[in-house]
Amino acid sequence: MKSFINVEDLGPLDKAMAEAFEIKNDRYKYQHLGKNKTLMMIFFNNSLRTRLSTQKAAMNLGMNVIVLDVNAGAWKLETERGVIMDGDKSEHLLEAIPVMGCYCDLIGVRSFAGLTDREYDYAETVLQQFIKYSGRPVFAMETATVHPLQAFADLITIEEHKVVERPKVVLTWAPHCRALPQAVPNSFAQWMNAAPDVDLVITHPEGYELDPKFVGNARVEYDQKKAFEGADFIYAKNWSNPGVTNPADYGKITSKDMSWTVDTEHMSWTNNGKFMHCLPVRRNLIVTDDVIESPNSLVIPEAANREISCSVVIKRMLEAL
């Protein structure tokens, strides 16, 4: 596996899931694979779970780890070609990337959407430059449009906690005070569609439609109560307007409807549903205190499984070296 961005990069999903549970039972089983190998983790944006879980996974597999915060401790990087570099950016990504590749065996990249240019964001311009110029296998630690390590961990969590063979899983939009990318909901929808035994429903205000390539075969329901009825899992996440129905709205907040906040009443519509969120979460915007602190909240087990999903990905890449 030379790159990891989307679910299809893993190959058969059932085998990847079996591997995840094998690793969860023995996290150090494949420690020999990473001996004398180095992972470089490159962060253009802040991180807590991704940073910690990816570093832990690499260490479990016997790797050395280098962490580079591009905006705190490195030269500011220019990403556009043809730019006269007379501003505050001292180094171009096209020189920096191959230099980074000299010092490692694998590269993980985290770079968010700018939310001003949909075409630029959805082309995954920054990530694709790493894939093209680094000379190393590259995996996504969240990008402008996807967060596959999170979605893989979400699927592992659902598999562990489901009580019916084919659970109803609802991805619900919720309000937020800031414009957020669509990466998490995009990947969540993509991975749930790929899973053979998930009934996926996506609910959001009109105008917040995700890109059809991620929605896939999911049912879209604009009535949140109807969507929640009988649900086994509720996955709450805000996203800014994806600009699908109106490109001029891309990256904007076009709704702040607080009636979409997941509270006890919302959860009462479900089939004793479990609550999920990728974290960090804005309490009492996305979800109320009582819901996220309830016995049915899976946010901590979900975060813990980030170590497992990342372990599978890094293992596959080490095996391909």
Side-chain angles (χ1 to χ4, degrees):
M1 189 165 65
K2 293 296 185 181
S3 63
F4 174 72
I5 307 171
N6 298 304
V7 62
E8 57 265 24
D9 295 328
L10 275 183
L13 193 51
D14 58 341
K15 292 183 179 179
M17 290 292 286
E19 203 166 319
F21 289 110
E22 177 193 24
I23 287 173
K24 192 161 187 176
N25 287 330
D26 184 355
R27 295 164 200 249
Y28 306 101
K29 182 176 181 179
Y30 297 100
Q31 198 171 47
H32 61 282
L33 291 175
K35 185 179 180 181
N36 298 328
K37 299 291 193 303
T38 299
L39 168 66
M40 182 173 288
M41 299 164 58
I42 301 163
F43 291 89
F44 289 84
N45 302 89
N46 294 335
S47 173
L48 190 151
R49 277 147 296 278
T50 297
R51 181 187 296 260
L52 297 178
S53 62
T54 306
Q55 188 164 355
K56 181 65 164 64
M59 292 168 64
N60 291 352
L61 290 162
M63 298 191 77
N64 302 310
V65 181
I66 299 172
V67 180
L68 177 66
D69 288 294
V70 171
N71 297 317
W75 300 113
K76 288 188 176 181
L77 295 177
E78 178 58 65
T79 61
E80 298 289 335
R81 300 183 75 125
V83 174
I84 297 173
M85 292 176 57
D86 58 356
D88 65 342
K89 295 176 180 177
S90 305
E91 185 163 8
H92 202 287
L93 203 60
L94 295 183
E95 285 79 62
I97 289 172
V99 168
M100 294 174 193
C102 294
Y103 307 138
C104 64
D105 300 280
L106 304 179
I107 296 177
V109 180
R110 182 177 177 92
S111 178
F112 290 177
L115 296 179
T116 57
D117 184 336
R118 190 180 194 279
E119 184 177 352
Y120 181 90
D121 287 344
Y122 273 72
E124 292 291 2
T125 306
V126 172
L127 181 70
Q128 290 301 329
Q129 289 184 67
F130 274 92
I131 292 172
K132 185 175 181 179
Y133 297 113
S134 70
R136 302 298 182 197
V138 175
F139 63 92
M141 300 192 300
E142 188 168 4
T143 71
T145 67
V146 293
H147 197 350
L149 292 173
Q150 179 64 56
F152 190 8
D154 297 333
L155 185 57
I156 294 168
T157 307
I158 289 171
E159 184 65 24
E160 288 179 315
H161 293 273
K162 69 181 185 181
V163 294
V164 296
E165 187 62 29
R166 185 177 174 83
K168 179 180 178 180
V169 178
V170 177
L171 169 62
T172 180
W173 179 92
H176 203 281
C177 55
R178 294 179 57 209
L180 299 183
Q182 298 100 45
V184 169
N186 282 347
S187 277
F188 186 79
Q190 183 186 57
W191 284 69
M192 294 305 116
N193 273 308
D197 295 318
V198 170
D199 177 18
L200 176 63
V201 178
I202 303 174
T203 185
H204 52 72
E206 292 192 38
Y208 271 80
E209 291 78 11
L210 296 170
D211 192 299
K213 72 179 180 182
F214 296 112
V215 174
N217 297 321
R219 177 166 64 90
V220 177
E221 173 58 69
Y222 296 106
D223 185 321
Q224 193 185 28
K225 185 173 183 179
K226 285 183 180 179
F228 274 46
E229 288 175 352
D232 300 289
F233 295 89
I234 299 297
Y235 197 102
K237 184 70 180 76
N238 174 266
W239 60 91
S240 61
N241 196 303
V244 172
T245 56
N246 184 359
D249 286 337
Y250 176 65
K252 296 180 180 178
I253 298 174
T254 51
S255 176
K256 293 184 178 179
D257 188 348
M258 292 291 289
S259 71
W260 284 76
T261 300
V262 180
D263 59 15
T264 301
E265 180 183 359
H266 285 70
M267 295 303 292
S268 73
W269 304 333
T270 71
N271 180 32
N272 193 33
K274 304 291 194 301
F275 176 81
M276 300 179 69
H277 188 278
C278 62
L279 301 180
V281 65
R282 299 268 186 154
R283 286 184 176 220
N284 303 305
L285 276 175
I286 300 288
V287 58
T288 56
D289 292 330
D290 51 344
V291 171
I292 198 169
E293 293 174 7
S294 76
N296 277 14
S297 174
L298 297 179
V299 296
I300 304 305
E302 186 182 355
N305 277 329
R306 291 290 306 279
E307 176 188 343
I308 307 306
S309 65
C310 193
S311 295
V312 174
V313 170
I314 295 176
K315 172 184 174 290
R316 295 279 187 93
M317 289 189 152
L318 287 171
E319 289 173 334
L321 288 177

